[in-house]
Amino acid sequence: MPGTLLCLLLGAALQDRDAVDAAIQKFNRDYGRVGVREEDRIQAVNALAAHRCEKVARTLAPYLVCSPVAVRIVTARRLGGFSGVPGVDSDLVNALLHPRNTGQRGVQVTILQALGSLRAEGAAEAVSRLVESPDVWVAKAAIEAAGKIRSGAAVDALVRTLVRLDGPAGDRDASLDLFGGELPTTSILQIALRDAAAKDNARRKVARDVLREPLRTALKSITRLDFSGVREWKEWWQKHKRTFSVPP
Amino acid sequence: MVPRANGGTAPAAGDCPGPEVLAGWLEGTLSPGERRALAAHLASCDDCRRAVAVAATLEAPPASAAVDERLLARVVAASRRRFPWPWVGAAAAVLAVSVLVFVKPAPSPSRKIAEPPQGPLRVAAIEERDRVFEETPRKVEAPAPPVAVEEARSRTAPAPAPMKEEAPRVEVAEPEPPPMEEPPPPPAPESPAVARAEGPGKTVTDLSRVFSPVFAVDPRGDLWLRRGRGEAGRAGAFETLAPTDSFCALEAGAAFTLEGRATVVLERGAEAVFCFFKPERAYTVELVQGQVMIDTEGIPQNWRASRGGAALAFSSLNGRIALELRGDQLSALLLEGRADFQNGSKAERLEAGREVVAADGGRLTVRRAETRKKAQRFAELRPKAMTVFSATFDGDEASGPFPYAVVAGEPVREGAERYLRGVATEERGRTRVSVEVRAERPVLFTSGLVLRFRYRTTAPTLTLRAGPFSAPFAAVAGGRWAEGEIGLSALENEGVPPVPLEEIAGVRIEASFDGKIAGRLDVDGIYLIRRAR
């Protein structure tokens, strides 16, 4: 009986392997044919990514870098669903840091979102570095990923960012919401252009609107604490920096 | 002139009658003498006969309903000013009369066509039609469809499914599939029409149960529309095709866009019937003569091509295909992209440069063929842009080629102008004024998709949103009407641009003002246009 069961399991595994091999062949055929359109490439990636296994992850990994931007985005999204598949997080981190993706905001954001979905602890360091990215959307994605990964390595960067964004006015509500879709009105623009400090303040106010809530959410997720103000976070971190460990 | 029963006069044979008389012919309100005179005139006048044939495709209005004389005069005057061919003005007037007096009838389960819309009918100028797609569009003014827009509205992108049950099926689950539906099991393709018995020895084929009408926009070149067995007339900016109607290109090549999903090119002398085959969720083209080329514009679709006993069925066609009649053979040459087709009981993959030839009896031959000349010809004839969505706020939300709902905005009518006025909301000391529409059938993002709109605002900047993607837009302020355009690939959703096959369900245009400033935003027309690749 155990032998029969073993045969059945082996048979099923072989069938799965055959199905995966066939899917990879079909992907290579569909993706690489002459005159292929971007929509076809994306469909090919979607079709292959339905087989969530290591072999498929290895097949798709190069397309995080060596493909059109839209394909990289879709590939990163699909790999974000490969939970438990070994090596996916390192593929994503390598792609995140690859020179070809430097400055590709959409790709970086999507990879960070994928790393967050995977709760990829191995990516904690790379994610933490991007918490302070000058690009607000990359920073937001990194902050959210850090909150999901729950690594202590990110807390320092998170608190530092929270403090930096606060500015001299303290925790007041900003009047601009640039990344919510609005642009500053003419009067604000004029002020910003005239006055460098006001310009910096305007930029900081805008980033604060986008990042403040994700920062608090991420810190709460990692530390299981919830402070109301920036000052409280700063003081707590100064006190517990050397001894902090992530609570369950 | 022949005196009318109601005190007016009707033209004698030889003089073209006014639109009221032609409308009376359709409504059956002419006296016997008037009808005889008009019948004699129609027997010899191609223009009037054509106008009556076109108008006859619309619902006949009740005779007792009033006619909006002012609007009728305006339509006729406008059409005569724009059209170099007098018959078009007559046709426009007849159509205007027919629709203006329309009253919505009670629904009937046996109806093949839906109720025509409420509201005035406008016929696009031919010059306007050609200009719209070279310059920024003003309004896509088109005759309202007399047929079931609900069919198009409920129809999502056809699923790339095999045509027969025994064909192999790829068993993969798509994590984020494009909007596709599982098709119902198809009936035997050789006998698509549903026949029902009506008494002993009598069978009536009810085509409407398996075939849906389709609509066509963006006509180019020498495109003519033949209704049933009638005379062909020049195609308007928006046409709805019943399963018995055909497009033809008489003296030169022609092209049009099929439901914002495919570009169709007809070579000179070609004629074909287009409709939608419901059981297989496939567009169908019946070639009458000549050559037709189809580009699915990046959206995988099911297509059936046929001619007599020869038929070809393609699933997941995503590319460009040339269909041609050669005697009794039907040829399909894939110029670009790929498609799956049924060869007997098995599904085969057709790659670019391969041709399938179908003869009567179902015999298929596959071979290599040269594509360059056909590809060049397609590039010459195709429209440079393809309308995939339009909202003109003319009361055409449910009846136009692209049904939509107004989510934010108040309709305003100023003389002949109709537009949406933005509605204001206050939030954290700011006033936002916005106009928003939602498409009944979401548009799939593909490369080259452009958002065009006509607006008037006092704000220096606008925020444009298409689905979850947005971008700022520097406006022409000062309260003058202006045209705006932005490529959708410039929009972002938190830093991520749209990728092909993502859904765009609606468009929102927003202006923001400090405090409680009474700012203004009016929008007259929102279009999503796909530039030719």
Side-chain angles (χ1 to χ4, degrees):
Chain A
M1 189 61 75
T4 309
L5 189 59
L6 185 63
C7 287
L8 284 171
L9 288 170
L10 278 173
L14 283 170
Q15 269 189 333
D16 283 346
R17 189 185 70 186
D18 289 344
V20 167
D21 289 343
I24 292 174
Q25 278 183 8
K26 184 174 187 304
F27 168 78
N28 289 331
R29 209 169 45 236
D30 290 345
Y31 190 97
R33 61 186 169 80
V34 174
V36 65
R37 297 182 174 185
E38 199 164 68
E39 293 84 1
D40 290 327
R41 286 181 163 154
I42 286 169
Q43 279 200 299
V45 168
N46 286 336
L48 181 61
H51 302 269
R52 289 175 191 160
C53 63
E54 195 171 348
K55 202 166 182 182
V56 167
R58 295 290 86 72
T59 306
L60 287 176
Y63 297 93
L64 291 168
V65 175
C66 302
S67 66
V69 167
V71 176
R72 293 184 222 174
I73 289 172
V74 171
T75 305
R77 269 190 199 144
R78 295 293 163 258
L79 288 176
F82 278 48
S83 181
V85 174
V88 171
D89 48 353
S90 56
D91 289 335
L92 287 167
V93 170
N94 291 337
L96 182 66
L97 302 175
H98 196 284
R100 289 198 81 190
N101 284 328
T102 305
Q104 289 293 346
R105 172 202 283 170
V107 179
Q108 289 187 316
V109 166
T110 313
I111 291 176
L112 286 164
Q113 290 170 343
L115 289 168
S117 297
L118 293 170
R119 308 301 198 251
E121 290 182 8
E125 178 113 10
V127 168
S128 302
R129 280 205 289 270
L130 289 174
V131 164
E132 295 177 280
S133 168
D135 187 308
V136 172
W137 294 119
V138 173
K140 180 175 187 274
I143 290 163
E144 289 172 341
K148 288 178 182 173
I149 293 170
R150 297 194 72 228
S151 164
V155 177
D156 195 48
L158 290 170
V159 173
R160 207 164 44 235
T161 305
L162 191 66
V163 170
R164 180 172 57 79
L165 285 177
D166 185 44
D171 277 1
R172 69 176 187 275
D173 280 338
S175 61
L176 297 176
D177 187 12
L178 177 63
F179 294 94
E182 296 180 37
L183 277 183
T185 59
T186 308
S187 58
I188 302 295
L189 271 175
Q190 284 167 350
I191 292 170
L193 287 170
R194 268 207 315 267
D195 186 347
K199 186 178 174 185
D200 185 64
N201 199 29
R203 185 162 51 85
R204 197 172 337 119
K205 276 194 271 187
V206 165
R208 185 199 305 170
D209 273 342
V210 175
L211 301 179
R212 183 174 50 186
E213 210 43 53
L215 281 166
R216 287 194 170 140
T217 303
L219 282 168
K220 187 178 171 183
S221 168
I222 297 172
T223 66
R224 302 298 190 212
L225 300 170
D226 191 8
F227 296 118
S228 57
V230 174
R231 188 165 47 86
E232 287 87 344
W233 277 110
K234 187 178 173 183
E235 285 172 0
W236 169 84
W237 184 239
Q238 279 174 347
K239 197 171 171 185
H240 295 91
K241 192 172 179 173
R242 288 188 185 79
T243 57
F244 173 75
S245 64
V246 178
Chain B
M1 298 292 279
V2 176
R4 295 185 68 170
N6 61 1
T9 56
D15 298 329
C16 283
E20 297 85 354
V21 178
L22 292 177
W25 169 274
L26 292 170
E27 296 165 19
T29 56
L30 298 181
S31 69
E34 289 169 338
R35 285 192 72 84
R36 277 196 296 277
L38 185 54
H41 175 75
L42 289 176
S44 60
C45 180
D46 290 346
D47 295 341
C48 289
R49 196 170 61 247
R50 190 179 300 122
V52 168
V54 171
T57 63
L58 300 177
E59 282 289 330
S64 58
V67 173
D68 187 337
E69 299 280 356
R70 285 170 55 198
L71 180 60
L72 173 62
R74 214 164 49 238
V75 169
V76 171
S79 65
R80 283 185 177 152
R81 197 170 51 244
R82 289 174 177 176
F83 296 122
W85 303 280
W87 69 266
V88 179
V94 171
L95 290 170
V97 168
S98 303
V99 175
L100 283 171
V101 300
F102 161 72
V103 174
K104 186 172 180 180
S108 159
S110 64
R111 288 171 65 79
K112 294 184 186 180
I113 54 177
E115 296 79 8
Q118 304 286 347
L121 172 74
R122 300 184 193 184
V123 177
I126 293 176
E127 293 92 335
E128 181 80 6
R129 179 194 69 204
D130 288 333
R131 188 178 65 80
V132 157
F133 306 101
E134 300 298 334
E135 303 167 15
T136 308
R138 293 217 161 244
K139 280 182 186 290
V140 180
E141 299 180 345
V147 291
V149 173
E150 292 82 18
E151 295 284 359
R153 196 183 308 148
S154 64
R155 187 184 315 150
T156 56
M163 293 295 175
K164 289 186 179 174
E165 288 180 4
E166 56 267 33
R169 193 181 182 91
V170 178
E171 297 289 344
V172 288
E174 295 187 73
E176 197 175 297
M180 295 181 179
E181 293 177 357
E182 287 292 296
E190 294 77 24
S191 56
V194 174
R196 64 176 190 273
E198 284 199 351
K202 263 192 172 179
T203 302
V204 174
T205 301
D206 189 353
L207 296 177
S208 66
R209 293 180 64 183
V210 291
F211 290 108
S212 293
V214 294
F215 65 83
V217 293
D218 306 341
R220 290 186 73 85
D222 192 35
L223 187 66
W224 294 73
L225 173 63
R226 192 191 309 277
R227 296 282 187 196
R229 294 172 189 270
E231 295 278 337
R234 284 297 285 251
F238 165 56
E239 299 286 2
T240 305
L241 283 80
T244 52
D245 300 334
S246 60
F247 271 131
C248 42
L250 297 180
E251 302 296 326
F256 64 91
T257 301
L258 188 70
E259 301 201 322
R261 290 181 174 271
T263 301
V264 180
V265 163
L266 285 80
E267 259 295 10
R268 177 185 167 192
E271 183 169 357
V273 176
F274 297 87
C275 57
F276 187 74
F277 184 47
K278 288 190 271 193
E280 292 177 4
R281 303 191 67 79
Y283 289 111
T284 72
V285 49
E286 168 88 19
L287 262 77
V288 178
Q289 61 186 19
Q291 180 179 239
V292 169
M293 289 183 276
I294 297 163
D295 190 318
T296 64
E297 301 293 345
I299 302 171
Q301 297 163 21
N302 295 341
W303 274 87
R304 289 174 58 92
S306 61
R307 164 61 175 162
L312 292 167
F314 297 98
S315 60
S316 300
L317 171 61
N318 187 3
R320 190 173 298 166
I321 196 164
L323 304 167
E324 190 175 13
L325 282 181
R326 296 184 195 140
D328 62 349
Q329 294 186 334
L330 172 63
S331 150
L333 169 59
L334 194 64
L335 304 176
E336 200 181 297
R338 64 169 173 84
D340 297 323
F341 72 99
Q342 286 300 122
N343 190 355
S345 60
K346 62 173 183 166
E348 284 192 26
R349 170 63 58 89
L350 192 68
E351 303 283 349
R354 309 279 298 177
E355 180 185 33
V356 183
V357 181
D360 280 353
R363 185 169 47 90
L364 297 183
T365 313
V366 183
R367 59 192 182 210
R368 295 204 69 80
E370 208 273 323
T371 61
R372 189 174 51 86
K373 285 182 185 167
K374 287 186 164 54
Q376 272 176 355
R377 190 68 181 134
F378 183 89
E380 284 167 17
L381 291 173
R382 71 175 305 171
K384 299 294 181 285
M386 174 177 157
T387 306
V388 298
F389 176 75
S390 73
T392 56
F393 315 127
D394 293 338
D396 60 346
E397 290 87 346
S399 59
F402 305 102
Y404 62 93
V406 174
V407 177
E410 289 171 9
V412 173
R413 186 174 177 173
E414 283 178 356
E417 290 272 0
R418 287 193 182 190
Y419 57 89
L420 280 192
R421 173 149 294 162
V423 290
T425 53
E426 281 184 37
E427 193 179 314
R428 290 188 294 175
R430 299 185 62 78
T431 302
R432 294 175 196 245
V433 180
S434 54
V435 165
E436 185 174 355
V437 298
R438 186 185 63 242
E440 293 260 353
R441 188 178 60 175
V443 173
L444 295 182
F445 175 79
T446 55
S447 58
L449 202 57
V450 165
L451 168 62
R452 270 187 190 165
F453 55 102
R454 190 160 178 262
Y455 68 98
R456 180 169 65 180
T457 186
T458 52
T461 54
L462 299 173
T463 300
L464 307 178
R465 293 181 202 275
F469 306 97
S470 66
F473 181 84
V476 172
R480 292 177 289 113
W481 284 110
E483 314 282 351
E485 179 175 312
I486 188 170
L488 284 201
S489 54
L491 277 61
E492 289 183 342
N493 177 16
E494 295 201 350
V496 184
V499 295
L501 303 181
E502 268 191 294
E503 275 190 9
I504 307 290
V507 175
R508 182 182 178 91
I509 301 174
E510 204 172 271
S512 183
F513 303 91
D514 271 339
K516 295 185 182 179
I517 294 174
R520 185 179 183 176
L521 171 65
D522 300 326
V523 177
D524 171 23
I526 293 175
Y527 309 90
L528 289 174
I529 293 172
R530 184 173 295 137
R531 298 234 184 260
R533 299 168 189 266

